[in-house]
């Protein structure tokens, strides 16, 4: 590997040396009506093509001024705009595109205007927010993560779960970026949906493989989310009233074309858990806000803010006792970004941010017996605080080279386990105990990548250097990245990618009684950083006048330094010595085939996604050291999604999902000792749950009003009422027998045979929501 690293560095240096400096123009592409940047817009000049980056910036070569030249900017769903010689005399040329083209040419599935044949991206899925909002949903709540769960290579891990299990990876192996800043736990409502409010999002993409060098810190995927910047031209608003939550967004200019804002809030109002008879009380909210200040043509400043919290509680009271359990969790993010343009070929983005994730579990108990009372008050806090500095640069010296480089440093403060415990009893001295834990670590990285084009060969070759410092461990690694794309025909290309990744945090999840808790722990000298190596190869094609696109990818991913709980152990009472309750140095092997067919134009759009895959794990002291299927190993996963525009004001959508059963461990024998059941288990995860499948449908009814536009959405979850498995458990049937005797009638409970039962979560469930724009 060290030789490969040296070769990659030489390639990057040689490409930079042979770069020819020519006249270039650069600028930004905006939505003319809102002032929002357009990510992935295409710039065309004399067969030279450039694409705007995550900040709406482009740079492209143009011929000398004496020649006739035109530069055209275009984006899906917008009218193109052309600038001629007169407009190109200055080096910075911005484009302001007007929304509105014929519906037949609107792409509603993929937002990027880069077609999959000619770009170097591999294992990347993009979904437009328009497509996400059209999909059927549960409780009327639109969710981007649930939309990505309908794409190849991505699993949900079960119903009512907003986690991502990407190409056999675990949830902690996903990097969630909100405006370039990582978030940790991203689920609301116990996992029913994510913290990402669709009304506040401008662009989103999921990277599953072929990671450019600018991404790092996780092993399996990157979900890169960009918030809206706020309408700089006029005041606008939108909102939704649903069964689960209600939300509203307001945006507009503070100084027209200079300073704009957006504020988006969401909150639960209807006590849906109580209505469903769960015995729980719940509440949640989230708030997104952003300021966008354009100081000059070359300088822009952004201030992004997010905060959100959940609270779930249960309370049981009777004459003698009171029990109350409260669980709170949430994230807070504050980020400052500065975009600066140096000349026409060098662009920078500087980010300074802080984040905090916290989880609190509070248990209170009071009881009175025989005139005496006693009470217990137990409170646990765990979380992570980060301070993050990031500098990203993009240098585009000519039409052949696009060089990105940068630095990133994160200072982590981990709080694994803060405990406050109080106990009192009449006639005894009160007990009060506290335990405090904190661990500090620093994670830094530097990267360089070069995306270049040589005739039919397009490539992105880069290197990411990372370092990690924690008490007792200094870790340094060099991780090469290679993406190759050979364009065979104008509508057909062959692709290959290689990625080596490093991860410096571990996730321990407790899922016993009560609500699940996520404990983030730093890698250390005893629990080494996780690592992965992934190879991908595939073919990409478009046909039908680019109305259809097809991609097929095979991948092989090797994982190292994985952890899992020692069988029979948990975090209860062991958080200060968590290293002793986990198996270390595990290995994983994931491989599969992904097929993705999309229809992108016309009144009917949608996609078919299929995944055939395997995911295995090996630990020395589990399953006798033999490989076993990972908990979320799924042999076949299939999704069919369709959106259709019936009329100008009515559109309908449907999604059908199928997945082969997840692995589980079941007892093969059991016997009784002193009326207690004893189970004998087979190999780990040797059995499978029942297959999963479900049909959801939705209809949207739009109407234009004097004040704006309203939409009624009717959605039906699980149309044919499939009883899908949520989990399995053993129990005995019991019955009451009535018999006559000399003393009258007697009742006897009869215990039946031990049986395996399936628990299902959601059956047929209709929902309705009302949305508006003004």
């Amino acid at each position: 590997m060290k030789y490969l690293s040296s070769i990659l560095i030489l390639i990057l240096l040689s490409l930079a040396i042979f770069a020819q400096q020519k006249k270039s123009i650069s600028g930004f592409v905006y939505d003319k009506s809102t002032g929002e940047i357009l990510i992935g817009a295409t710039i065309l000049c004399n067969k030279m093509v450039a694409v705007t980056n995550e900040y709406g910036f482009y740079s492209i070569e143009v011929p000398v001024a004496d020649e006739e030249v035109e530069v055209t900017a275009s984006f899906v769903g917008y009218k193109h705009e052309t600038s001629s010689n007169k407009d190109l005399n200055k080096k910075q040329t911005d484009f302001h595109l007007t929304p509105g083209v014929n519906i037949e040419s609107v792409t509603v599935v993929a937002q990027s205007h880069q077609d999959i044949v000619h770009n170097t991206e591999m294992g990347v899925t993009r979904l437009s927010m328009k497509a996400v909002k059209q999909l059927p949903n549960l409780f009327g709540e639109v969710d981007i993560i649930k939309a990505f769960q309908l794409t190849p290579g991505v699993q949900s891990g079960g119903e009512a779960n907003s986690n991502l299990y990407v190409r056999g990876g675990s949830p902690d192996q996903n990097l969630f970026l909100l405006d370039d800043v990582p978030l940790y736990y991203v689920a609301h409502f116990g996992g029913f949906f994510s913290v990402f409010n669709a009304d506040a999002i401008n662009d989103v993409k999921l990277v599953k493989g072929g990671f450019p060098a600018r991404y790092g810190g996780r092993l399996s995927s990157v979900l890169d989310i960009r918030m809206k910047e706020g309408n700089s031209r006029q005041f606008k608003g939108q909102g939704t009233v649903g069964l689960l939550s209600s939300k509203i967004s307001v945006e507009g200019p503070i100084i027209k074309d200079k300073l704009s804002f957006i504020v988006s809030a969401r909150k639960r109002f209807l006590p849906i858990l109580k209505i469903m008879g769960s015995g729980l009380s719940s509440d949640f909210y989230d708030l997104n806000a952003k300021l966008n200040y354009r100081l000059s043509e070359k300088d822009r400043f952004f201030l992004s803010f997010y905060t959100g919290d959940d609270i779930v509680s249960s309370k049981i009271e009777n004459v003698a006792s009171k029990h109350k359990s409260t669980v709170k969790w949430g994230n807070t993010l504050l980020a400052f970004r500065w975009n600066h343009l140096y000349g026409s070929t060098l662009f920078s983005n500087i980010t300074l941010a802080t984040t905090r994730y916290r989880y609190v579990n509070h248990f209170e108990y009071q009881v009175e017996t025989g005139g005496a009372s006693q009470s217990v008050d137990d409170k646990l806090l765990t979380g992570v605080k980060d301070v993050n500095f990031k500098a990203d640069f993009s240098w585009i010296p000519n039409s052949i080279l696009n060089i990105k480089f940068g630095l990133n440093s994160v200072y982590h403060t981990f709080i694994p386990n803060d405990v406050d415990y109080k106990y009192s009893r009449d006639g005894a001295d009160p007990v009060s105990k506290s335990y405090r834990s904190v661990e500090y670590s620093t994670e830094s990285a530097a990267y360089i990548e070069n995306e270049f084009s040589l005739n039919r060969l397009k490539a992105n070759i880069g290197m990411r250097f990372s370092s990690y410092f924690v008490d007792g461990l200094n870790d340094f690694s060099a991780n090469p990245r290679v993406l190759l794309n050979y364009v065979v025909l104008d509508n057909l290309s062959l692709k290959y990618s290689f990625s080596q990744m490093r991860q410096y945090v571990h996730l321990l999840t407790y899922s016993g009684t009560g609500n699940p808790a996520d404990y983030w722990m730093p890698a250390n000298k005893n629990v080494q950083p996780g690592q992965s190596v992934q190879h991908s190869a595939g073919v990409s094609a478009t046909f039908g006048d680019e109305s259809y696109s097809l991609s097929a990818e095979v991948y092989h991913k090797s994982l190292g330094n994985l952890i899992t709980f020692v069988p029979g152990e948990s975090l209860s009472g062991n958080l200060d010595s968590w290293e002793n309750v986990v198996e270390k140095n595990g290995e994983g092997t994931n491989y599969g085939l992904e097929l993705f067919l999309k229809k992108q134009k016309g009144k009917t759009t949608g996609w078919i996604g299929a995944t055939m895959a395997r995911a295995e794990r090996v630990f020395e002291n589990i399953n006798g050291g033999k490989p076993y299927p990972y908990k979320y190993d799924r042999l076949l996963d299939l999704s069919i999604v369709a959106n259709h525009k019936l009329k100008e004001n009515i559109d309908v959508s449907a999604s059908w999902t199928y997945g082969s059963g997840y692995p589980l461990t079941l007892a093969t024998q059991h016997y009784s000792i002193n009326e207690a059941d004893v189970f004998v288990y087979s190999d780990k995860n040797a059995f499978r749950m029942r297959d999963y499948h479900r049909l959801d449908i939705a209809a949207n009814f739009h109407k234009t009003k004097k004040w704006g536009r309203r939409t009624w959405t009717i959605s039906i979850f699980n149309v044919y009422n499939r009883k899908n498995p949520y989990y399995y458990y053993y129990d005995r049937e019991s019955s009451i027998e009535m018999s006559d005797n000399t003393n009258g009638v007697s009742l006897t409970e009869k215990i039946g045979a031990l049986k395996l039962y399936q628990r299902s979560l959601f059956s047929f469930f209709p929902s309705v929501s009302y949305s508006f724009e003004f």
Side-chain angles (χ1 to χ4, degrees):
M1 190 62 68
K2 64 181 181 179
Y3 299 108
L4 177 60
S5 302
S6 301
I7 292 172
L8 289 172
I9 294 173
L10 290 174
I11 291 175
L12 292 171
L13 292 174
S14 63
L15 288 171
I17 291 171
F18 287 103
Q20 297 180 7
Q21 298 294 328
K22 297 181 179 180
K23 180 181 177 181
S24 297
I25 64 165
S26 61
F28 298 85
V29 180
Y30 301 98
D31 181 314
K32 187 174 183 178
S33 63
T34 66
E36 287 277 353
I37 62 167
L38 296 179
I39 301 171
T42 300
I43 314 298
L44 180 65
C45 177
N46 288 10
K47 296 184 179 181
M48 298 295 182
V49 179
V51 178
T52 57
N53 65 10
E54 295 86 350
Y55 315 102
F57 171 77
Y58 78 92
S59 179
I60 191 170
E61 281 186 312
V62 296
V64 294
D66 294 337
E67 298 181 17
E68 184 66 26
V69 59
E70 288 186 343
V71 177
T72 300
S74 62
F75 189 72
V76 175
Y78 289 75
K79 297 177 182 179
H80 67 267
E81 180 181 326
T82 300
S83 292
S84 59
N85 289 51
K86 182 178 179 181
D87 302 313
L88 300 175
N89 289 333
K90 54 183 181 179
K91 288 190 174 182
Q92 181 165 337
T93 302
D94 296 338
F95 292 91
H96 298 82
L97 306 188
T98 303
V101 294
N102 190 289
I103 187 63
E104 297 297 325
S105 64
V106 174
T107 299
V108 298
V109 175
Q111 190 176 22
S112 173
H113 207 121
Q114 309 173 66
D115 84 72
I116 63 173
V117 172
H118 295 90
N119 66 31
T120 58
E121 289 182 343
M122 190 173 187
V124 175
T125 304
R126 297 174 182 267
L127 295 177
S128 71
M129 298 316 301
K130 180 178 179 179
V132 171
K133 291 181 177 181
Q134 287 180 330
L135 294 175
N137 52 70
L138 181 62
F139 300 127
E141 187 63 45
V142 173
D143 187 47
I144 61 171
I145 287 188
K146 290 195 179 299
F148 278 107
Q149 290 172 353
L150 297 172
T151 62
V154 183
Q155 297 178 36
S156 66
E159 221 153 58
N161 193 332
S162 58
N163 284 324
L164 293 180
Y165 296 83
V166 179
R167 291 187 172 179
S170 56
D172 63 308
Q173 295 172 3
N174 305 311
L175 179 63
F176 296 99
L177 294 175
L178 183 62
D179 275 356
D180 282 325
V181 183
L183 288 176
Y184 286 89
Y185 187 74
V186 295
H188 269 316
F189 209 58
F192 278 43
F193 60 96
S194 74
V195 302
F196 303 115
N197 185 344
D199 291 348
I201 295 172
N202 179 26
D203 183 78
V204 59
K205 70 176 179 180
L206 176 68
V207 185
K208 302 174 293 184
F211 299 95
R214 59 186 177 273
Y215 292 125
R218 297 294 189 273
L219 303 183
S220 288
S221 78
V222 178
L223 188 66
D224 194 345
I225 300 170
R226 304 285 167 168
M227 287 175 56
K228 291 180 178 178
E229 297 177 352
N231 194 316
S232 63
R233 302 293 174 84
Q234 56 185 327
F235 287 95
K236 290 286 186 178
Q238 60 180 314
T240 300
V241 179
L243 293 180
L244 188 61
S245 68
S246 295
K247 55 187 176 182
I248 188 167
S249 297
V250 180
E251 57 182 318
I254 299 174
I255 303 175
K256 189 174 181 179
D257 293 329
K258 191 85 170 178
L259 176 63
S260 63
F261 77 96
I262 179 171
V263 177
S264 186
R266 179 171 55 171
K267 195 178 189 307
R268 181 206 65 82
F269 290 102
L270 190 66
I272 194 70
L273 286 182
K274 285 188 175 181
I275 293 173
M276 296 172 64
S278 67
L280 297 174
S281 174
S282 68
D283 196 6
F284 69 87
Y285 77 92
D286 55 39
L287 175 68
N288 294 81
K290 191 170 184 177
L291 285 174
N292 165 25
Y293 178 57
R294 191 176 303 175
L295 179 65
S296 66
E297 288 186 342
K298 295 183 180 295
D299 293 280
R300 296 183 70 180
F301 300 98
F302 305 90
L303 188 64
S304 304
F305 176 74
Y306 167 82
T307 186
D309 278 300
D310 283 71
I311 178 170
V312 178
S313 63
S314 63
K315 190 174 182 179
I316 302 173
E317 293 187 19
N318 54 44
V319 177
S321 64
K322 295 180 181 180
H323 302 252
K324 184 178 181 181
S325 178
T326 304
V327 178
K328 299 179 182 180
W329 68 91
N331 282 287
T332 298
L333 176 153
L334 180 64
F336 170 79
R337 290 194 295 123
W338 171 36
N339 287 177
H340 182 68
L341 180 60
Y342 305 84
S344 61
T345 60
L346 181 61
F347 173 84
S348 70
N349 177 68
I350 309 298
T351 303
L352 181 62
T354 180
T355 62
R356 183 187 68 166
Y357 162 71
R358 65 278 188 194
Y359 170 91
V360 179
N361 193 334
H362 191 190
F363 174 76
E364 298 171 272
Y365 171 72
Q366 293 179 333
V367 63
E368 292 187 10
T369 55
S373 65
Q374 59 179 330
S375 65
V376 175
D377 189 308
D378 191 7
K379 186 176 182 180
L380 178 144
L381 167 67
T382 184
V384 188
K385 297 178 183 178
D386 286 350
V387 176
N388 192 329
F389 171 78
K390 194 165 182 277
D392 299 293
F393 297 86
S394 179
W395 179 42
I396 310 175
N398 54 39
S399 60
I400 297 176
L401 302 179
N402 184 350
I403 300 173
K404 294 182 173 67
F405 57 96
L407 302 167
N408 181 210
S409 185
V410 184
Y411 182 71
H412 301 285
T413 302
F414 292 89
I415 306 173
N417 180 31
D418 280 4
V419 175
D420 291 301
Y421 175 83
K422 296 178 181 179
Y423 172 78
S424 64
R425 187 180 64 181
D426 288 347
D429 294 333
V431 177
S432 180
K433 295 181 179 180
S434 295
Y435 175 80
R436 296 290 180 264
S437 61
V438 62
E439 296 188 42
Y440 304 98
S441 66
T442 302
E443 179 181 346
S444 300
Y447 71 89
I448 182 170
E449 63 180 74
N450 181 26
E451 187 171 351
F452 62 94
S453 176
L454 296 174
N455 296 320
R456 290 188 175 272
L457 177 65
K458 302 176 185 295
N460 184 326
I461 298 178
M463 180 72 72
R464 185 178 183 88
F465 303 93
S466 62
S467 64
Y468 177 73
F469 300 95
V470 71
D471 185 29
L473 174 65
N474 294 334
D475 183 84
F476 176 82
S477 64
N479 301 309
R481 314 287 173 82
V482 177
L483 293 92
L484 303 176
N485 179 24
Y486 184 76
V487 181
V488 181
L489 302 170
D490 284 343
N491 65 338
L492 177 68
S493 67
L494 303 176
K495 297 186 177 185
Y496 167 79
S497 70
F498 170 84
S499 302
Q500 183 174 301
M501 310 290 281
R502 200 84 165 164
Q503 180 168 329
Y504 297 104
V505 293
H506 294 288
L507 176 65
L508 296 175
T509 299
Y510 171 69
S511 300
T513 57
N515 287 278
D518 284 353
Y519 299 89
W520 292 90
M521 306 294 188
N524 56 41
K525 62 181 179 181
N526 298 319
V527 184
Q528 293 292 308
Q531 57 188 23
S532 70
V533 174
Q534 182 174 181
H535 297 266
S536 303
V539 57
S540 298
T542 59
F543 54 94
D545 193 26
E546 297 189 352
S547 294
Y548 296 87
S549 65
L550 174 66
S551 64
E553 292 186 23
V554 293
Y555 67 89
H556 184 280
K557 181 164 60 176
S558 299
L559 302 169
N561 293 334
L562 302 179
I563 66 172
T564 190
F565 279 113
V566 173
E569 293 286 355
S570 72
L571 293 175
S572 179
N574 290 298
L575 279 171
D576 57 335
S577 57
W578 65 275
E579 304 165 17
N580 300 325
V581 298
V582 296
E583 287 287 342
K584 311 173 189 67
N585 304 319
E587 297 179 354
T589 302
N590 308 328
Y591 54 90
L593 167 65
E594 297 172 1
L595 303 174
F596 201 17
L597 172 65
K598 296 188 290 185
K599 185 178 185 297
Q600 304 180 150
K601 296 180 181 179
K603 291 187 176 181
T604 301
T605 60
W607 67 82
I608 299 175
T611 307
M612 290 153 280
R614 295 303 306 265
E616 295 181 338
R617 298 290 187 266
V618 179
F619 288 88
E620 182 179 357
N621 299 313
I622 296 179
N623 202 46
K626 299 180 297 182
Y628 62 88
Y630 177 51
K631 182 180 180 181
Y632 297 105
D633 172 57
R634 177 164 272 176
L635 305 180
L636 176 62
D637 194 85
L638 178 65
S639 297
I640 302 175
V641 176
N643 298 317
H644 179 69
K645 193 174 186 66
L646 285 176
K647 298 180 180 180
E648 189 63 31
N649 65 328
I650 302 176
D651 56 77
V652 295
S653 62
S655 64
W656 184 77
T657 58
Y658 169 85
S660 55
Y662 284 130
L664 78 163
T665 305
L666 294 176
T668 53
Q669 302 178 49
H670 88 276
Y671 54 90
S672 298
I673 297 179
N674 297 327
E675 299 184 354
D677 290 313
V678 178
F679 296 93
V680 179
Y681 290 91
S682 64
D683 289 345
K684 186 175 179 63
N685 290 343
F687 294 87
R688 295 268 171 178
M689 293 183 176
R690 293 174 61 206
D691 291 353
Y692 181 101
H693 52 88
R694 192 189 78 234
L695 172 66
D696 304 330
I697 60 175
N700 299 292
F701 302 90
H702 313 282
K703 189 173 183 179
T704 301
K705 299 283 190 175
K706 291 182 179 180
W707 48 263
R709 191 183 193 220
R710 65 94 173 131
T711 300
W712 281 102
T713 299
I714 299 174
S715 186
I716 300 178
F717 181 89
N718 199 357
V719 172
Y720 52 82
N721 200 29
R722 164 73 173 178
K723 302 297 183 183
N724 286 304
Y726 189 56
Y727 64 84
Y728 290 86
Y729 65 98
Y730 287 102
D731 202 357
R732 294 180 182 271
E733 291 182 338
S734 62
S735 60
I736 303 297
E737 292 188 351
M738 184 173 60
S739 59
D740 295 325
N741 53 42
T742 56
N743 296 323
V745 178
S746 64
L747 301 177
T748 305
E749 183 180 14
K750 184 177 180 180
I751 306 299
L754 188 70
K755 293 184 178 181
L756 181 67
Y757 293 89
Q758 171 190 298
R759 177 73 68 181
S760 299
L761 191 58
F762 291 116
S763 55
F764 175 90
F765 195 96
S767 60
V768 62
S769 63
Y770 176 81
S771 303
F772 56 89
E773 299 178 15
F774 59 88

